[in-house]
Structure formats: structure tokens, C-alpha cells
Amino acid sequence: MRPLWRCRNCGAEWPCQPARLSLLSEYQGNRTSLLIYLSGLMAEARDQLAKLNSHHVPDLTDRFITWARTRN
């Protein structure tokens, strides 16, 4: 649900756990493309969330990127 960036199904912040699992499955074997895709969405989310509350622009790195990095 944009511009709030909440999941339409569960209402949690997107990407919620089910969305993350779906994205990992969709981009299986191509983690770089997943990270590029998520980076673009993170920029869009940051812009939209900033318009809703210009006094607080959240750091969305953990929410959008950190979880998708390859684990060693």
C-alpha cells in the first residue's frame, strides 16, 4: 500500500516476511538483481514517506536491503 509502504495482505511494513520469502524465491540465483530492485524501491519509499512526514525520514536500509544480502 503506497505511499505508506505497508503490505496489502497483512498490514506490516513492506517487505514483510512473506514478501521477503517470495522475493528470495523469485530472484533465486540472482541476488544482485534482487538488491538492485530493492534499492530502487527503497529510494521510492524514502521519497514517498518523506512527503508524508518531512520531519522524520527513516533509514530504510535494514528494511529493504540488509536482509537480502548473502549470508556468509
Side-chain angles (χ1 to χ4, degrees), residues 36-49:
I36 292 168
Y37 174 68
L38 289 170
S39 295
L41 291 177
M42 182 178 71
E44 185 178 342
R46 183 180 51 246
D47 291 345
Q48 290 180 1
L49 291 170

Side-chain angles (χ1 to χ4, degrees), residues 7-64:
C7 175
R8 282 178 280 185
N9 295 319
C10 69
E13 290 183 338
W14 193 93
C16 58
Q17 191 61 32
R20 291 176 181 192
L21 291 173
S22 178
L23 287 163
L24 287 172
S25 176
E26 182 178 345
Y27 285 88
Q28 186 175 9
N30 199 347
R31 192 67 61 115
T32 301
S33 291
L34 173 59
L35 290 168
I36 292 168
Y37 174 68
L38 289 170
S39 295
L41 291 177
M42 182 178 71
E44 185 178 342
R46 183 180 51 246
D47 291 345
Q48 290 180 1
L49 291 170
K51 287 178 183 174
L52 294 175
N53 184 358
S54 62
H55 300 291
H56 175 69
V57 180
D59 180 1
L60 301 173
T61 304
D62 285 340
R63 181 172 163 184
F64 279 83

